[in-house]
Amino acid sequence: MGAYILRRLLLIIPTLFGIMLVNFALTQLVPGGPIDQIAAQLEGNGDAFDAVSGSGADAGVSDEADSSYIGARGLPPELVAKLEVQFGFARITCAPGFTGTPDLKAPECSKEMIPAWERFFIMMGRYLRFDFGDSYFHSRSVVDLVIDKMPVSISLGLWSTLIAYMVSIPLGIRKAVREGDRFDTWTSTLIIAAYAIPGFLFAIMLMVVFAGGTYYQWFPLRGLTSDNWESLSLWGKVTDYLWHMVLPITASTIASFATMTLLTKNSFLDEIRKQYVITARAKGLSEARVLYGHVFRNAMLIVIAGFPALFIAVFFGSSMIIETIFSLDGLGRLGYEALIKRNYPVVFGTLYAFSLLGLLVGILSDLTYTLVDPRIDFEKRG
């Protein structure tokens, strides 16, 4: 097993490199860039200079940041050149023998544009050291931003996945045992109907019905906690947090019920019809012993295999929509705003970190296989 894990860990390197390379290449085709965003802010807000970070940002940026930028044409060339250097599009080169501080105002120094391929390798070199740089528009490091937003997304992802498994697995088993009867029929109808409703539409419906939109005001409309959070007791903080999470978690979980329930049902049906189940029943074993002592271990393999995909889908896929609708300040909104503003250190930094996390979770899923069924040996298969 150790050799298999080592191979999978080594495979992470080219996989992660490919993910970053493809996404970096795609950003070269996207029009606009952070300098365009700065230009738009300056035209619409006189004090937008405060949004420009002076700490230097990551080199992993998109289009060539020169004066041909549409949004940069209204800016002074000196400011454009300064932004190009600050955002990592260019660097300052000085004549040999220059002893002062490199500055574009010095006649011995000039601006040199950095090719896209070089920016990519500079970015990857920093990411290998887990140096994700600073956000263009927040004047903070990407790591600090992610840590601040993480609790909201973790709350949505973990609670949604946990509830989906706690409800879907027992429901799927019961549907498999009672296949074709009335219970199986009406539960399938409800599950498929819930799956057909888009997550954002269901979230809006919950707000309208239960958050004071038209009918009832049982739950808060937005946020993760109440305004008086600090003054609440420990029990008060727990209940307040759960009270705020009911609607977002319900909206983010509803679609996953169908996939997980039907997956569990079909997996159990496949196992129930096999010869070893017939043999176990012929030996006089009780139905519960047959179902949970023999069928459960084999049927749950495919369900466990879907855990990483389900968690990642809930954690990253639906979080942006849910967080936006319920005004939750999490990673979904952070990523969306970073894409709109072309805040590439945040985009590529989070892409690298969570792609790496997803690949590691895949290895963890294989290890879980062996815990559920020790007969599985990935090393022999390799």
Side-chain angles (χ1 to χ4, degrees), residues 26-48:
L26 290 175
T27 60
Q28 309 308 304
L29 305 176
V30 177
I35 295 181
D36 285 328
Q37 298 296 323
I38 294 294
Q41 290 184 20
L42 293 177
E43 292 176 358
N45 190 344
D47 60 357

Side-chain angles (χ1 to χ4, degrees), residues 144-223:
D144 290 340
L145 282 173
V146 170
I147 291 175
D148 285 347
K149 314 297 184 184
M150 188 75 77
V152 173
S153 296
I154 288 180
S155 295
L156 285 175
L158 287 180
W159 281 113
S160 298
T161 306
L162 179 62
I163 293 175
Y165 268 77
M166 290 178 63
V167 175
S168 298
I169 291 177
L171 180 59
I173 295 174
R174 186 171 180 82
K175 286 174 64 62
V177 174
R178 301 180 58 177
E179 184 194 17
D181 67 2
R182 184 175 300 179
F183 174 83
D184 182 38
T185 302
W186 70 261
T187 52
S188 295
T189 303
L190 291 178
I191 289 172
I192 294 174
Y195 182 76
I197 301 176
F200 74 91
L201 183 60
F202 188 73
I204 295 174
M205 183 180 69
L206 290 176
M207 293 178 63
V208 171
V209 177
F210 299 109
T214 303
Y215 299 97
Y216 308 102
Q217 192 167 2
W218 293 350
F219 300 98
L221 185 61
R222 59 174 56 89

Side-chain angles (χ1 to χ4, degrees), residues 224-235:
L224 191 62
T225 57
S226 300
D227 295 335
N228 63 338
W229 166 264
E230 296 297 334
S231 62
L232 296 175
S233 63
L234 178 60
W235 176 248

Side-chain angles (χ1 to χ4, degrees), residues 322-333:
I322 301 302
E323 288 172 13
T324 302
I325 292 176
F326 291 99
S327 300
L328 300 175
D329 193 12
L331 291 174
R333 290 185 63 185

